């Protein structure tokens, strides 16, 4: 840690702040005509739409994520070991691919509706292209964020709390609501915030459903009406909204403190479920896993098999390698920066520092393309300055891996910071004081005490960042060096002209490569305490 | 200080690709699978390497703009005249005075200022279900706003540029008030909310959810290759030469030389080659589009759809009026 936490936190925050400010700079030349049009004809609908979407997805991911996390972390039932890691897998699927698969299966032209019409004469299915449909698909795609962070929180509790509650005669289910849930709140909130930011930034999924949100309006203003100022105006409203929510959430959290069990040597006794309870737990886990992962993957595999002979070639090794390398490097850097930022906030928990940390994570709520352009403009500017100064005959920064990785940090710092922050919040002052009284201070305290206690959180952050970067598209497209195509880029090449069946092949490989870290993560957190 | 400067400059030099020899750099919003075979053929024929980056057209334009005079790109390639027009409008392209381009590309499919050139043609036309519609019932784009089509029309979302261009061309022909009436008529006739893409719209017609829709010809070709038995047929609207808005609405994919191209001559050579007789088939057929060069015959699949009269208004108008078209569609409630 440098002498002042600010020396560490400020540069990290700048990585995100610069692109955001570059965009907001366009507010200086407002585009009145377009803005008035948007205000009258577009904004009313999208405000309502975005609010419903955020509310629905927020509730949905909380319900699915927390219930499944509790079942796999604290209970025992048939299949628990498998579901513990399998329930993470939907993360590896790009959300818009899941959306397209479900739309294809459930829409009027899909197999189910056709079969009902032709065999039973039933002409009515609840419409999938509806608000409820978008929310459902998004929840299925995004609940793993909450599942993962809530699970880390439940695992970090240790057994004594629930034991204490039970010894006081509190029944088990009440102990969950009275003790476990409030204790896990920072972790759960971190996951819900991630899912909500992802929802607000999403363009692919809402496009598949033709559901108008802030993001679609931003794209429309910029790329259809050619008005960057209007797009920046919309983006600034979005950013402001997210920022306020993040700050409020942070205030609410900082007023309470959470203790964590520091006896990391004991495995909590699992609640063994029997009979009906076990059946319910199994059905719930299997149902979510089936809808969020098995069905989409079967459809993708079916499509991929159809185009395999025509499209699969030696280049796929290169695509997979690029995806792996970028995701691994990016995830490591994101988590390292998140850890530094988390520590800076811990050492200097002033309001200014908290605001800085919130600001640094805002990149996750911005639509990807908007952020990509926001990153590219200052990089190109810097390149132009260098070229002028040194009289070079080509760019130095653009199209280098360094810029690409920095851009990933601007987007995904939130993904690393959420788990790290909630992990740090559970290491109380008393831990530090105890360490100090034993003479364990400074670097030794970090390596001997903090890092082991943070292990689950760090692994969580790594896995999330890894999978997210692997699926990321706009920044990859904009900043990749010549010839550095990834699997996600292949998906884009196919879907942008509507060749979804051919996009299934790279999507299937993304899933295969994404399986590794999720499996590895859960295996390692299963026995990591706190 | 001077020493530091020199060594830094040397370092930077070693990092940049100084090889300006036989290569040309393309920024393309047309997909890799559609352009790579062409560029490979070009390299084989001329020995010139084509380096290319793909992305969506919006980000690519933002990129060109930010890079300014130092852009590595020599050629900008994209779909839709609206995007090409916008690139010219933003000052990202430069005029090219080329006899062969003017000879090979009809005047209404290239920029009047010679900054961009269409390379393939896609027609936006009517697709209908022959089990439910007789061709005699169909006539024009405007007619789909007639109440007789109530609950029988499917449309793709207004967010994609293809219907924006169609509406922009109608504004050029009829003015905004009348065009808005037509678009409102379309919306009133919709059988279901606008669909995410042309293929979904055609599948809805085949499934009987609606009877007619508007699509780009290559989507129709692609779907029929996969599922030849679908009850879908093609209709060429607005063929009455005496009526207003005569001719099928066409659009292009195309390219222009960037304003700050470092390899201007190479870029022009590649552009001329792409419009030439031998490359045109390769360029268009790979996506079941029409060659822009009238001397070149389309792919047999495409030729089988029959010939039609094109709307001869310059496609640049689609770009000029695009913003107004988008606003008009918003007002008309076309999502």
């Amino acid at each position: 840690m440098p002498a002042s936490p600010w020396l560490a936190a400020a540069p990290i925050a700048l990585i995100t702040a610069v692109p955001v400010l570059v965009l907001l700079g366009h507010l200086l030349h407002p585009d009145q005509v377009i803005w008035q049009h948007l205000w009258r004809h577009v904004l009313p609908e999208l405000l309502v739409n975005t609010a419903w979407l955020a509310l629905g997805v927020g509730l949905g991911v909380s319900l699915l994520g927390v219930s499944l996390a509790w079942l796999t972390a604290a209970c025992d039932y048939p299949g628990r070991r498998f579901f513990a890691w399998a329930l993470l897998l939907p993360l590896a699927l790009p959300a818009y691919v899941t959306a397209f698969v479900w739309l294809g299966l459930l829409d009027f032209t899909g197999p189910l509706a056709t079969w009902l019409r032709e065999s039973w004469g039933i002409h009515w299915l609840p419409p999938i292209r509806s608000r409820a449909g978008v929310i459902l698909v998004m929840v299925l795609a995004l609940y793993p964020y909450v599942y993962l962070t809530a699970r880390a929180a439940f695992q970090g509790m240790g057994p004594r709390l629930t034991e204490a509650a039970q010894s006081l005669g509190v029944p088990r289910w009440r102990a969950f609501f009275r003790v476990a849930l409030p204790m896990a709140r920072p972790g759960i909130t971190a996951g819900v915030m991630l899912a909500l930011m992802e929802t607000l930034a999403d363009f692919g999924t809402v496009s598949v459903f033709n559901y108008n949100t802030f993001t679609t309006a931003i794209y429309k203003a910029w790329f259809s009406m050619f008005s960057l100022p209007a797009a920046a105006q919309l983006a600034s409203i979005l950013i402001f909204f997210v920022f306020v929510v993040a700050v409020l959430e942070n205030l609410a959290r900082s007023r309470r403190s959470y203790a964590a069990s520091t006896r990391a040597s004991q495995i909590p006794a699992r609640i063994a479920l029997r009979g009906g309870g076990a059946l319910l737990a199994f059905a719930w886990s299997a149902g979510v896993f089936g809808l969020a992962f098995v069905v989409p993957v079967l459809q993708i595999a079916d499509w991929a098999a159809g185009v395999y002979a025509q499209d699969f070639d030696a280049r796929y090794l290169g695509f997979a390698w690029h995806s792996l390398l970028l995701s691994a490097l990016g995830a490591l850097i994101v988590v390292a920066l998140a850890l530094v930022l988390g520590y800076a906030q811990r050492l200097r928990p002033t309001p200014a520092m908290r605001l800085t940390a919130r600001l640094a994570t805002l990149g996750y709520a911005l639509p990807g393309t908007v952020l990509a352009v926001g990153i590219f403009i200052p990089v190109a500017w810097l390149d132009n300055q260098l070229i002028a100064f040194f009289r070079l005959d080509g760019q130095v920064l653009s199209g280098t891996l360094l810029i690409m990785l920095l851009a990933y940090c601007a987007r995904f710092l939130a993904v690393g910071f959420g788990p790290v922050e909630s992990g740090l919040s559970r290491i109380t002052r008393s831990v530090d004081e105890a360490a100090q009284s034993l003479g364990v201070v400074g670097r030794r305290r970090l390596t001997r005490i903090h890092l082991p206690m943070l292990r689950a959180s760090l692994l969580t952050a790594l896995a999330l960042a890894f999978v997210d970067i692997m699926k990321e598209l706009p920044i990859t497209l904009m900043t990749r060096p010549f010839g550095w195509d990834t699997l996600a880029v292949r998906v884009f090449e196919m879907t942008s002209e509507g060749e979804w069946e051919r996009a299934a092949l790279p999507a299937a490989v993304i899933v295969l490569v994404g399986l590794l870290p999720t499996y590895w993560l859960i295996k390692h957190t299963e026995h990591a305490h706190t | 200080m001077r020493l530091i400067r020199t060594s830094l400059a040397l370092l930077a030099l070693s990092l940049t690709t100084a090889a300006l020899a036989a290569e040309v750099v393309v920024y393309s919003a047309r997909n890799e699978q559609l352009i790579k075979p062409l560029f490979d053929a070009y390299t084989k024929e001329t020995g010139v390497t084509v380096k290319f980056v793909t992305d969506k057209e919006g980000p690519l334009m933002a990129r060109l703009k930010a890079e300014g005079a130092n852009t590595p790109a020599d050629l900008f390639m994209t779909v839709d005249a609206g995007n090409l027009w916008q690139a010219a409008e933003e000052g990202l392209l430069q005029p090219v005075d080329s006899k062969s381009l003017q000879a090979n590309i009809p005047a209404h499919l290239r920029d009047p200022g010679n900054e961009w050139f269409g390379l393939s043609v896609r027609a936006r036309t009517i697709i209908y279900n022959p089990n439910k519609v007789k061709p005699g019932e169909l006539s024009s784009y405007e007619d789909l706003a007639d109440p007789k089509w109530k609950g029988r029309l499917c449309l793709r979302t207004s967010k994609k540029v293809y219907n924006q261009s169609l509406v922009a061309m109608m504004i050029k022909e009829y003015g905004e008030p009348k065009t808005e009436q037509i678009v409102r008529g379309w919306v009133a006739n919709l059988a279901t909310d606008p669909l995410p893409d042309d293929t979904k719209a055609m599948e809805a017609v085949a499934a009987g959810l609606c009877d007619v829709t508007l699509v780009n010809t290559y989507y129709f070709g692609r779907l029929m290759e996969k599922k030849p038995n679908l009850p879908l047929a093609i209709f060429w609207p607005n063929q009455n030469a005496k009526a207003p808005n005569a001719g099928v609405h066409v659009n292009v994919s195309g390219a222009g030389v960037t304003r700050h191209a470092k390899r201007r001559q190479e870029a022009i050579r590649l552009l001329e080659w792409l419009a030439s007789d031998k490359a045109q088939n390769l360029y268009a057929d790979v996506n079941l589009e029409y060659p822009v060069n009238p001397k070149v015959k389309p792919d047999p699949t495409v030729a089988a759809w029959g010939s039609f009269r094109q709307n001869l208004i310059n496609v640049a108008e689609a770009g000029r009026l695009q913003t107004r078209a988008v606003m008009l569609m918003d007002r008309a409630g076309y999502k």
Side-chain angles (χ1 to χ4, degrees):
Chain A
M1 274 287 54
S4 163
W6 278 109
L7 285 178
I12 295 176
L14 275 182
I15 296 175
T16 311
V18 169
V20 171
L21 290 172
V22 163
L23 289 171
L24 300 190
H26 290 275
L27 294 174
L28 302 173
H29 319 279
D31 190 333
Q32 286 307 338
V33 178
I34 303 271
W35 183 248
Q36 276 172 1
H37 167 83
L38 292 172
W39 187 252
R40 256 189 72 182
H41 296 283
V42 179
L43 268 168
E45 184 207 20
L46 68 86
L47 280 171
V48 172
N49 271 0
T50 308
W52 272 112
L53 189 64
L55 187 74
V57 172
L59 287 173
V61 294
S62 305
L63 177 72
L64 260 60
V66 173
S67 62
L68 294 165
W70 178 252
L71 285 175
T72 60
C75 307
D76 207 2
Y77 60 99
R80 177 193 62 82
R81 273 164 183 279
F82 167 76
F83 287 125
W85 69 276
L87 283 166
L88 262 184
L89 292 180
L91 261 193
L93 284 166
Y96 61 96
V97 175
T98 307
F100 190 81
V101 168
W102 277 113
L103 189 70
L105 291 173
L106 295 183
D107 208 4
F108 183 88
T109 54
L112 181 65
T114 310
W115 177 73
L116 285 175
R117 267 199 310 276
E118 288 171 3
S119 312
W120 306 93
I122 298 170
H123 277 265
W124 194 85
L125 258 182
I128 177 80
R129 281 183 300 124
S130 60
R131 179 170 289 151
V134 186
I135 289 173
L136 272 175
V137 167
M138 282 239 187
V139 167
L140 286 176
L142 299 177
Y143 81 86
Y145 288 107
V146 183
Y147 170 74
L148 202 54
T149 52
R151 197 163 182 276
F154 288 142
Q155 281 179 319
M157 266 176 214
R160 289 189 305 167
L161 278 163
T162 36
E163 278 168 17
Q166 274 166 30
S167 68
L168 293 171
V170 181
R172 233 180 235 157
W173 59 272
R174 284 196 46 195
F176 169 75
F177 284 104
R178 297 282 297 276
V179 181
L181 203 54
M183 287 272 312
R185 219 187 76 176
I188 295 168
T189 318
V192 174
M193 280 299 287
L194 286 180
L196 283 181
M197 284 166 106
E198 180 96 34
T199 303
L200 290 174
D202 169 85
F203 178 72
T205 312
V206 290
S207 296
V208 167
F209 283 91
N210 200 25
Y211 184 81
N212 296 336
T213 62
F214 255 102
T215 308
T216 60
I218 289 169
Y219 278 54
K220 184 184 216 159
W222 193 344
F223 302 127
S224 297
M225 299 177 170
F226 309 127
S227 171
L228 186 49
Q233 279 168 300
L234 287 167
S236 63
I237 297 176
L238 183 66
I239 283 281
F240 177 75
F241 179 71
V242 174
F243 190 64
V244 168
V245 171
V247 169
L248 286 177
E249 184 265 321
N250 191 260
L251 281 175
R253 192 191 315 179
S254 59
R255 275 200 230 103
R256 315 167 56 126
S257 72
Y258 303 86
S261 164
T262 49
R263 272 171 43 197
S265 58
Q266 227 186 52
I267 295 174
R270 289 185 177 280
I271 302 164
L273 298 175
R274 308 240 181 285
L279 193 67
L280 266 179
F282 178 84
W284 180 235
S285 310
V288 173
F289 178 60
L291 294 180
F293 189 75
V294 179
V295 172
V297 163
L298 285 176
Q299 176 70 85
I300 289 169
D302 180 42
W303 283 339
V307 297
Y308 177 83
Q310 157 199 1
D311 280 351
F312 194 79
D313 53 26
R315 294 193 310 160
Y316 265 83
L317 263 178
F319 301 146
W321 165 241
H322 290 157
S323 283
L324 258 173
L325 184 71
L326 287 170
S327 307
L329 282 176
L332 284 170
I333 296 174
V334 163
V335 173
L337 291 184
L339 193 61
V340 172
L341 193 63
Y343 257 95
Q345 186 179 282
R346 183 184 170 87
L347 295 172
R348 190 68 57 86
T350 56
M353 181 63 91
R354 284 178 181 283
L355 278 179
T356 306
R358 298 297 123 209
L359 190 70
T361 57
L362 277 184
Y364 199 52
L366 263 184
T369 304
V370 177
L371 186 71
V373 172
I375 290 164
F376 196 85
I377 290 172
V379 170
W381 178 85
L382 205 61
D383 247 345
N384 289 340
Q385 299 305 311
L386 288 172
I387 289 167
F389 187 72
F390 295 113
R391 299 191 190 81
L392 311 170
D393 63 351
Q395 296 159 317
V396 193
L397 303 171
S398 305
T400 57
L401 286 188
L402 176 73
I403 291 298
M404 206 171 173
L405 294 170
L406 270 181
Y408 285 147
C409 289
R411 175 141 194 79
F412 293 120
L413 197 59
V415 176
F417 190 68
V420 166
E421 190 187 32
S422 66
L424 276 169
S425 73
R426 289 206 309 272
I427 304 177
T428 51
R429 296 271 163 231
S430 61
V431 174
D432 287 1
E433 283 155 16
Q436 203 157 359
S437 68
L438 294 170
V440 182
V441 288
R443 181 168 306 179
R444 273 184 65 215
R445 184 170 69 193
L446 179 69
T447 55
R448 297 277 304 277
I449 295 172
H450 286 182
L451 284 182
M453 286 179 80
L454 282 172
R455 201 174 126 190
S457 305
L458 290 177
L459 287 172
T460 302
L462 270 176
L464 282 178
F466 180 93
V467 179
D468 258 344
I469 292 175
M470 186 165 270
K471 293 184 298 184
E472 200 283 334
L473 196 55
I475 289 173
T476 309
L477 283 172
M478 192 105 174
T479 59
R480 71 195 194 276
F482 278 110
W484 266 73
D485 283 8
T486 65
L487 294 167
V489 171
R490 296 307 301 162
V491 175
F492 157 78
E493 299 280 12
M494 300 302 174
T495 52
S496 70
E497 272 298 351
E499 299 204 66
W500 287 87
E501 283 83 358
R502 290 179 72 186
L505 185 61
V509 183
I510 288 183
V511 173
L512 285 177
V513 179
L515 283 177
L516 307 169
T518 49
Y519 181 72
W520 171 85
L521 165 93
I522 289 295
K523 248 182 86 98
H524 278 74
T525 52
E526 207 55 340
H527 308 295
H529 314 292
T530 323
Chain B
M1 182 66 216
R2 173 175 273 180
L3 183 71
I4 295 174
R5 234 187 212 224
T6 320
S7 54
L8 272 175
L10 278 173
L11 176 74
L13 260 181
S14 64
L15 290 171
T16 55
T17 44
L20 284 177
E23 75 168 21
V24 62
V25 179
V26 182
Y27 281 5
S28 170
R30 191 170 165 87
N31 298 145
E32 192 209 50
Q33 64 267 28
L34 301 181
I35 55 173
K36 196 169 181 304
L38 277 161
F39 294 159
D40 288 348
Y42 184 70
T43 305
K44 217 162 138 181
E45 193 175 314
T46 62
V48 176
T49 326
V50 183
K51 279 169 82 177
F52 63 91
V53 168
T54 51
D55 200 339
K56 290 183 191 148
E57 57 274 3
L60 280 178
M61 285 191 228
R63 191 169 171 168
L64 277 171
K65 208 170 169 170
E67 287 169 335
N70 296 312
T71 184
D74 305 304
L75 198 66
F76 173 62
M77 188 179 257
T78 180
V79 294
D80 195 85
N83 296 321
L84 290 160
W85 176 88
Q86 178 62 15
E89 183 72 2
E90 298 257 351
L92 303 173
L93 306 176
Q94 59 171 299
V96 169
D97 188 23
S98 154
K99 292 266 176 306
S100 88
L101 286 174
Q102 289 178 8
N104 287 338
I105 303 170
H108 68 292
L109 302 175
R110 52 185 158 88
D111 176 34
N114 289 323
E115 294 201 13
W116 50 262
F117 301 85
L119 293 170
S120 67
V121 177
R122 52 275 299 279
R124 194 146 190 89
T125 191
I126 293 179
I127 298 293
Y128 66 98
N129 184 331
N131 302 337
K132 298 169 86 177
V133 179
K134 294 186 189 65
E137 291 178 75
L138 293 157
S139 59
S140 66
Y141 301 109
E142 300 79 4
D143 173 66
L144 294 178
D146 186 290
K148 75 175 178 197
W149 295 106
K150 191 154 185 61
R152 300 171 69 191
L153 175 68
C154 276
L155 284 178
R156 180 192 190 137
T157 165
S158 66
K159 284 190 209 57
K160 185 72 185 184
V161 71
Y162 303 140
N163 281 348
Q164 294 168 5
S165 293
L166 175 63
V167 170
M169 294 299 238
M170 285 163 81
I171 292 176
K172 171 77 184 165
E173 184 71 31
Y174 294 121
E176 285 195 48
K178 182 163 181 198
T179 305
E180 190 171 333
Q181 260 180 354
I182 295 167
V183 176
R184 279 183 192 279
W186 287 351
V187 173
N189 288 342
L190 286 178
T192 180
D193 286 337
L195 291 136
D197 60 52
D198 285 10
T199 310
K200 285 260 179 254
M202 284 185 288
E203 284 171 347
V205 171
L209 181 60
C210 39
D211 301 346
V212 281
T213 187
L214 292 170
V215 303
N216 282 358
T217 40
Y218 55 88
Y219 288 113
F220 174 72
R222 230 190 262 161
L223 184 63
M224 295 316 272
E225 272 188 346
K226 266 198 300 245
K227 302 175 183 165
N229 301 327
L230 286 180
L232 294 172
I234 207 162
F235 178 85
W236 302 114
N238 299 55
Q239 293 301 286
N240 180 350
K242 294 191 184 62
N245 197 24
V248 172
H249 168 66
V250 292
N251 207 320
V252 294
S253 77
V257 177
T258 61
R259 163 142 310 186
H260 301 288
K262 291 195 181 55
R263 292 154 288 243
R264 184 168 183 271
Q265 285 312 320
E266 283 297 351
I268 295 173
R269 267 183 65 197
L270 175 56
L271 196 52
E272 287 174 338
W273 182 82
L274 289 171
S276 70
D277 301 15
K278 53 184 172 219
Q280 272 286 291
N281 266 120
L282 196 50
Y283 189 105
D285 297 357
V286 69
N287 195 34
L288 297 175
E289 290 179 68
Y290 293 88
V292 73
N293 184 332
K295 296 192 285 293
V296 180
K297 294 270 167 294
D299 182 276
T301 310
V302 177
W305 304 332
S307 59
F308 58 91
R309 161 194 292 276
Q310 289 184 22
N311 186 321
L312 294 177
I313 298 175
N314 190 300
V315 289
E317 293 296 332
R320 200 174 59 79
L321 295 165
Q322 185 174 319
T323 304
R324 281 162 68 187
V326 173
M327 287 159 89
L328 185 149
M329 294 197 281
D330 280 342
R331 287 198 302 273
Y334 175 16
K335 292 196 171 33

